């Protein structure tokens, strides 16, 4: 049924005020249409039981589909627009045009012409934005604090009503596209994707180069005074040609025989406008908005704004009445030029229209009529498959990928055979290919599923990570995939026969009911997941929902893939059999991605090729066009193909079978009996309360909380095994102190990797049944985290703990897998990292790494043996001070929590007793506190500059990372820090917030230094030899660029920060208050997931419990700063301009007292030639020796100020920890009196001198 919505008129006399910074814009200023809009209501989405949101689906008169979503618990408003057009619709002569259009839409509209107005408004009011372009979609999204949602939506909607696409913006923004592409050149995933596209049919839409660069989009003008990159040389190396041979030249020259750079640039802009007209039409767009506003209010926001979008595609390519002259179109352009450009408009319109026919339709109803047309066929590689494609990775990986073109199942998302195929081939339980390979020591991981699922094609892939031994047996690995497929075919055939006969019963050999049972089990788990998952953040929801609606419509947009209406009898048996029958050698091509595979091909082919005499296809080395990636295509021996087709013997077949029934499926989804009636509905609006400390013993602590917010049958269980043995050994002297040891730390990393590998098969069913787990290592010890449905969670956690304490999982095959993975990661670290990643590595090596870097780690890792790991494992449980720190929260009673804790401590106690009896373990762990995380204090008034060359052979970009470390310790908690410390930390946070968008706008949008420009607040911690934790505030700015050399990038960052000081001084108080308010609300926004809540709380427990709680002292939970976010949020409102400027000056401006480190990494475009000459107050480091020498001169970051404590805790610490006794004695010797403030239980204050 239809209704009419009347939009409110805007006020012209107040129109100029809408761009004033920091103003809340009334609705009457922003609504745009007085015309009546007819709205048609559509079916709302099917919701899960735990989904508390309200929905309304509508179709506007102009054809736009919109989903209005009320989330009463959200503090943010979010919106997304998805356009059913992506890279598949690019013209062949303008690769990347869809992506370029995405970039250009953000650069202003006729109503809001300022380029950074959108991002500035979002930044000022706690928002963010992003956009993405795939082959089929272009999606835009943003979120913002809810009260500012309407005006943000007004700015956002105008990108689609009337974007500017100015000539100046086009010329600048194509550099951002090019920078984004250059960033991708060092990504193995991107490089391998380009090889896959190179194998595709050149006339198929999938083969198109989706990102684009300044060669494919010739609208870029180099800035004067900056070094120009030799496009021709680079593109020759990368295989893409140069703009001298651009296909557009012939097209443009066909108009009048001439074509200059201005013509080319103008044609790109004209093509952008034509692309926008063709594809950004209302019937091709989906809008999703979500916020706490009522559905009626959201409807009033959406209808008049998006109802203004007209279908401009009907104008046949000419500029319509909205395409007015922009700011660059003036009388300097000759009439001849104008006439030529008008003819260009006709050419561009026709080119865009022709390219649009390449892409298949997005909605599934339209997709049902699409003819199967795969981009991958044997005829493209010599006429006969299988063939092997070999690529050389930048990282040291061993990938084996088997790809099978299949019939498309895009239009049948619920009963797609791909769904069940992915489950079966990707299964990791007993009888699976994964289990077979892992038991043989051949693989580390396996996954399966559609690589491409489109209306016209389906490319199913099985991806396997190989061990060194597995690479030697890669043909056997492939053989068992085909054997498993043959077993599935047999099972499907027999089940189909029985089902057609009206019976389906058990028989000898393969279980005739197994496939029905598995399908029923998959459906049950999918439905359970759908109904027991609460809504996430509005930002991600808007983006995913908009794309889903465009494919599946409003009814199924949330539930698609959850098999809600499927039963045991709806098994797509015929489709499954059809798919299984195509898992054969003649229907696949194989990718090998490893250094070893590459060396094999180089030995076979060298740099040459070998022509196939029958097809003319040249096997051997090929070069991909856009990235210049080299790869080999080679045929397989007929004998290997024959063996694959014959399958395996009966004895070997016994090792593979269909999955057994899943024993981890929850028996009950009931909520805890102890939960009060009012808490049996979701109450996300309630504040998060801290957990209860219900056990505090020398052997450990148990923290528990019965959830009263989420009303879900789920729990989160974290077990920290506190032990210094994770990273430390006893010092060689008699100081009784433990000391960080790189080998010990690496052995702990090996241990957790071995454990994960050893338990993968056993716990895979738990993963399928919604139970997850992980084991991590830190300076505090080992953390075992388990989460999911509460019914079987303690059983899983206790099983894992028992397995961890037993040395039985320390098998040679798992050790070799872990060692191989570690060595490969370390050995390719420098050659595979992006420049900005390396810059952060060198900075951290100086600031907070305890070891000596990757090179030393690699040397030590190569020497570690299984016996070393076995001794290390025993050493952990022999630690006399080992204790448990357990947080059990969610759908769990206190009784259940205590029972688990008792069982867990029994496991630990019995293990320690067994270790002591079995062998005498050398006690290398001292009975003293071991240092935790470390950060070194940068010297005041000294700039440290690091200069290093990237070792990545493909890295064109350079990077600069500038970090300002506060000279004053950061805020820890209201009872652990002073008021002054709180204010300073709040100031640093607010400065980082205010500076983010202007930094991006100046360095990225205006100066176009590079695609990656970022600034952020960072908080780190240092715990040096005592349990007193120090918090450190920092501000970091970093840029990835190939436009100018790193030292000039650093200078521009300096200039920006210097100039920003005056802008901060002149900034209206209202604008500063808006930033403070938005940051405050960001810090205190409701936590929506139990896992997030548990993770946050356990982080505080892990860090602060040792210094605030211990068995011989009266404990107070108030000392653990669970409420830090609320405390900092409140402090933000009390800051004034003078306080902010004082902190800005001390942190950034005062060169004589600030602490700063600048890290430069140089890429191929601007290589490192020489380090700057020495200068006052500057230290230059350009080698590892210089870096380590400088590091030795830095002291650990320890607090200057006094501490306030409750009771006698600090005296207790001094009495317990010998390191504090040494510190106190040393302070006395040198005549330093340290004052500690104490607050007694009866609030009596006293000073104690040590």
């Amino acid at each position: 049924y239809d209704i009419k919505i009347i939009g409110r008129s805007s006020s012209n006399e107040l129109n100029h005020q809408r761009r004033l910074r920091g103003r809340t814009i009334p609705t009457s200023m922003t609504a745009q249409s007085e015309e009546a809009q007819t709205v048609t209501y559509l079916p709302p989405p099917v919701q899960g039981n735990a989904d508390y949101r309200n929905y309304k689906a509508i179709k506007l008169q102009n054809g736009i589909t919109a989903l209005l979503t009320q989330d009463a618990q959200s503090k943010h408003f979010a919106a997304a627009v998805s356009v059913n057009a992506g890279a598949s619709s690019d013209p062949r002569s303008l690769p990347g045009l869809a992506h370029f259009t995405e970039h250009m839409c953000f650069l202003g509209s006729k109503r809001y012409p300022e380029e950074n107005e959108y991002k500035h408004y979002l930044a000022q009011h706690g928002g963010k934005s992003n956009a993405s372009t795939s082959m089929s979609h272009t999606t835009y999204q943003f979120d913002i604090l809810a009260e500012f949602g309407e005006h943000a939506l007004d700015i956002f909607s105008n990108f689609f009503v009337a974007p500017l696409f100015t000539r100046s913006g086009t010329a600048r923004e194509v550099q951002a596209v090019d920078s984004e592409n250059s960033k991708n050149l060092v990504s193995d995933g991107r490089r391998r994707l380009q090889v896959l596209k190179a194998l595709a049919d050149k006339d198929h839409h999938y083969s198109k180069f989706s990102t684009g660069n300044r060669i494919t989009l010739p609208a870029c003008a180099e800035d004067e005074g900056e070094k120009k990159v030799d496009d021709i040389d680079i593109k020759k190396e990368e295989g893409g040609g140069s703009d001298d041979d651009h296909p557009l030249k012939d097209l443009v020259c066909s108009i009048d025989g001439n074509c200059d750079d201005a013509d080319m640039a103008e044609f790109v802009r004209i093509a952008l406008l034509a692309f926008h007209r063709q594809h950004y039409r209302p019937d091709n767009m989906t809008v999703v908005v979500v916020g706490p506003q009522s559905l009626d209010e959201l409807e009033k926001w959406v209808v008049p704004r998006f109802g203004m979008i007209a279908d401009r595609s009907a104008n046949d390519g000419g500029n319509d009445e909205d395409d007015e002259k922009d700011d660059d179109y003036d009388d300097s352009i000759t009439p001849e030029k104008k006439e030529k450009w008008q003819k260009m408009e006709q050419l561009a319109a026709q080119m865009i229209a022709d390219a649009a026919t390449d892409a298949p339709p997005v909605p599934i109803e339209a997709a049902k009529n699409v003819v199967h047309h795969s981009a991958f066929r044997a005829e493209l590689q010599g006429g006969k498959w299988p063939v092997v494609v070999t690529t050389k990775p930048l990282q040291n990986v061993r990938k084996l990928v088997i790809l099978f073109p299949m019939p498309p199942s895009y239009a049948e998302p619920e009963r797609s055979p791909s769904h069940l195929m992915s489950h079966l081939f990707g299964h990791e339980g007993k009888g699976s290919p994964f289990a077979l390979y892992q038991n043989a020591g051949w693989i580390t991981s396996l996954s399966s599923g559609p690589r491409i699922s489109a209306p016209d094609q389906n490319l199913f892939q099985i991806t396997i990570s190989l061990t060194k031994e597995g690479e030697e047996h890669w043909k056997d690995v492939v053989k068992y995939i085909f054997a498993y497929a043959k077993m599935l075919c047999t099972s499907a055939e027999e089940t189909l026969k029985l089902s057609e006969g009206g019976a389906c019963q058990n028989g000898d050999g393969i279980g005739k009911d197994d496939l029905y049972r598995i399908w029923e089990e998959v459906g049950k788990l999918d439905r359970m997941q759908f109904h027991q998952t609460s809504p996430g953040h509005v930002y991600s929801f808007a983006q995913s929902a908009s794309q889903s609606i465009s494919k599946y419509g409003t009814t199924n947009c949330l539930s698609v893939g959850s098999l809600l209406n499927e039963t045991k009898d709806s098994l797509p048996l015929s489709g499954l059999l059809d798919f299984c029958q195509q898992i054969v050698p003649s229907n696949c091509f194989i990718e090998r991605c490893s250094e070893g595979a590459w060396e094999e091909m180089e030995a076979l082919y060298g740099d040459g090729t070998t022509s196939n005499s029958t097809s003319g296809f040249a096997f051997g080395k090929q070069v991909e066009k856009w990235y210049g990636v080299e790869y080999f295509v080679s045929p397989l021996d007929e004998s290997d193909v024959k063996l694959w087709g014959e399958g395996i013997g009966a004895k070997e077949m016994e090792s593979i079978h269909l999955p057994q029934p899943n024993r981890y499926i929850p028996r009950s989804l009931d909520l805890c009996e102890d939960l009060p009636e009012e808490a049996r509905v979701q109450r996300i609006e309630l504040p998060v309360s801290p957990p209860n400390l219900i056990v505090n013993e020398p052997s450990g602590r148990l923290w528990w909380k019965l959830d009263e917010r989420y009303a879900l049958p789920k729990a989160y269980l974290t077990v920290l095994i506190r032990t210094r043995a994770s990273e430390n050994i006893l010092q060689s002297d008699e100081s009784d102190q433990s000391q960080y040891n790189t080998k010990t730390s690496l052995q702990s990393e090996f241990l957790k990797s071995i454990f994960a590998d050893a338990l993968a098969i056993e716990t895979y069913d738990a993963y399928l049944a919604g139970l997850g787990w992980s084991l991590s290592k830190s300076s505090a010890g080992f953390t075992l985290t388990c989460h999911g449905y509460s019914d079987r969670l303690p059983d899983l956690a206790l099983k894992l703990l028992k397995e961890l304490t037993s040395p039985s999982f320390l098998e040679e095959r798992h050790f070799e897998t872990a060692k191989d993975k570690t060595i490969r990661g370390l050995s390719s670290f420098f050659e595979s990292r992006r420049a900005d990643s390396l810059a952060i590595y060198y900075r951290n090596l100086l600031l907070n790494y305890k070891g000596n870097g990757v090179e030393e780690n690699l040397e030590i890792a190569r020497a570690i043996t299984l016996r070393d790991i076995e001794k290390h494992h025993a050493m952990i449980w022999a630690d006399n001070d080992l204790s448990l720190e357990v947080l059990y929260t969610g759908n769990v009673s206190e009784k259940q929590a205590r029972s688990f804790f008792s069982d867990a401590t029994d496991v630990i106690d019995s293990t320690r007793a067994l270790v002591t009896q079995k062998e005498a373990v050398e006690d290398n762990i001292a009975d003293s506190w071991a240092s935790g995380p470390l950060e070194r204090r940068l010297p005041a008034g000294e700039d440290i500059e690091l200069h290093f060359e990237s070792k990545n052979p493909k890295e064109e970009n350079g990077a600069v990372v500038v970090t300002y470390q506060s000279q004053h310790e950061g805020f820890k908690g209201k009872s652990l820090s002073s008021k002054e410390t709180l204010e300073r930390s709040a100031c640093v946070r607010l400065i980082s917030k205010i500076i983010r968008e202007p930094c991006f706008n100046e360095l990225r949008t205006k100066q176009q230094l590079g695609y990656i420009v970022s600034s952020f607040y960072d908080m780190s911690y240092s715990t040096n030899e005592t349990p007193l934790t120090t918090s450190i505030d920092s501000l970091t700015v970093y840029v990835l660029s190939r436009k100018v050399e790193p030292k000039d990038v650093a200078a521009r960052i300096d200039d920006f920060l210097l100039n920003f000081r005056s802008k901060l001084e002149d900034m209206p108080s209202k604008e500063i208050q808006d930033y403070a308010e938005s940051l405050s609300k960001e810090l205190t926004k409701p936590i929506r997931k139990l896992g997030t809540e548990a993770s946050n709380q356990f982080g505080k427990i892990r860090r602060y419990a040792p210094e605030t709680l211990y068995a011989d002292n009266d404990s107070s939970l108030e000392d653990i700063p669970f409420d830090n976010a609320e405390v900092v949020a409140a402090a933000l409102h009390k800051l004034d301009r003078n306080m902010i400027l004082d902190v800005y000056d001390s942190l950034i401006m005062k060169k004589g007292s600030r602490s700063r480190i600048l890290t430069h990494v140089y890429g191929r475009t601007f290589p490192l030639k020489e380090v700057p000459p020495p200068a006052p107050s500057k230290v230059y480091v350009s080698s590892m020796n210089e870096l380590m020498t400088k590091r030795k001169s830095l002291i650990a970051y320890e607090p200057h100020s006094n501490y306030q404590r409750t009771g006698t805790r600090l005296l207790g610490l001094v009495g317990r920890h010998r390191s504090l006794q040494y510190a106190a004695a040393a302070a006395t010797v040198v005549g330093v009196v340290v004052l500690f403030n104490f607050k007694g239980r009866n609030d009596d204050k006293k000073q104690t001198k040590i």
Side-chain angles (χ1 to χ4, degrees), residues 239-296:
S242 72
D243 51 7
D244 287 336
D245 56 13
H246 200 289
L248 278 186
K249 283 205 166 181
D250 291 339
L251 184 64
V252 176
C253 286
S254 67
I255 297 175
D256 62 1
N258 296 306
C259 179
D260 56 21
D261 290 344
D263 289 334
M264 294 280 280
E266 183 62 18
F267 190 89
V268 172
R269 178 179 174 274
I270 289 171
L272 282 167
L273 292 167
F275 191 92
H276 193 275
R277 268 196 307 273
Q278 174 75 34
H279 296 291
Y280 286 56
R281 61 183 195 274
D283 67 315
N284 207 38
M285 300 167 68
T286 302
V287 177
V288 173
V289 296
V290 52
Q293 295 81 6
S294 70
L295 293 176
D296 289 342

Side-chain angles (χ1 to χ4, degrees), residues 100-258:
F100 193 17
T101 306
E102 169 219 307
H103 275 245
M104 287 302 300
C105 273
F106 281 126
L107 298 185
S109 63
K110 286 185 170 62
R111 183 170 173 81
Y112 297 96
E114 295 180 33
E115 288 187 356
N116 72 322
E117 181 147 7
Y118 174 59
K119 289 187 177 295
H120 181 87
Y121 191 76
L122 295 180
Q124 188 176 345
H125 299 297
K128 57 183 176 293
S129 65
N130 199 6
S132 61
T133 304
S134 67
M135 297 304 293
S136 59
H137 287 85
T138 306
T139 304
Y140 304 80
Q141 62 188 116
F142 78 88
D143 76 351
I144 194 169
L145 289 173
E147 56 265 44
F148 303 99
E150 185 175 12
H151 185 58
L153 188 68
D154 199 57
I155 302 174
F156 182 69
S157 63
N158 272 276
F159 293 150
F160 311 102
V161 174
L164 287 183
F165 289 0
T166 63
R167 291 183 177 85
S168 60
T170 303
R172 278 184 288 106
E173 195 61 24
V174 77
Q175 297 182 58
V177 172
D178 189 67
S179 296
E180 183 176 354
N181 182 66
S182 69
K183 167 185 70 71
N184 296 337
L185 296 177
V186 296
S187 165
D188 274 330
R190 289 282 188 168
R191 294 167 67 84
R192 293 171 58 213
L193 170 63
Q194 287 306 127
V195 171
L196 182 63
K197 287 175 172 285
L199 298 171
D201 183 348
K202 299 299 181 288
D203 294 326
H204 194 282
H205 62 89
Y206 184 77
S207 69
K208 294 180 180 180
F209 174 43
S210 58
T211 309
N213 58 35
R214 56 188 168 158
I215 302 301
T216 69
L217 301 164
C220 176
E222 296 285 350
D223 293 340
E224 292 184 8
E226 294 171 354
K227 177 178 176 181
K228 294 186 178 181
V229 181
D230 191 336
D231 294 332
I232 298 177
D233 288 347
I234 288 177
K235 294 314 295 181
K236 281 181 179 177
E237 181 178 338
E238 295 174 4
S242 72
D243 51 7
D244 287 336
D245 56 13
H246 200 289
L248 278 186
K249 283 205 166 181
D250 291 339
L251 184 64
V252 176
C253 286
S254 67
I255 297 175
D256 62 1
N258 296 306

Side-chain angles (χ1 to χ4, degrees), residues 831-887:
E831 289 76 16
S832 60
R833 291 299 190 276
R834 226 168 56 189
D836 53 334
S837 176
L838 288 175
I840 292 174
Y841 163 75
Y842 287 119
R843 182 201 66 176
N844 291 348
L845 189 59
L846 181 73
L847 267 185
N848 51 42
Y849 284 7
K850 294 182 179 180
N852 295 326
V854 169
E855 295 93 338
E856 182 189 76
N857 287 356
L858 179 59
E859 182 180 351
I860 294 173
R862 283 173 170 155
I864 291 177
T865 65
L866 178 59
R867 181 56 185 154
D868 290 331
I869 304 301
E870 291 170 342
K871 289 181 179 179
H872 180 58
H873 182 264
M875 186 70 65
I876 292 168
W877 310 114
D879 179 8
N880 293 327
D881 287 339
L882 182 146
S883 64
L884 293 183
E885 193 89 64
V886 178
L887 172 63

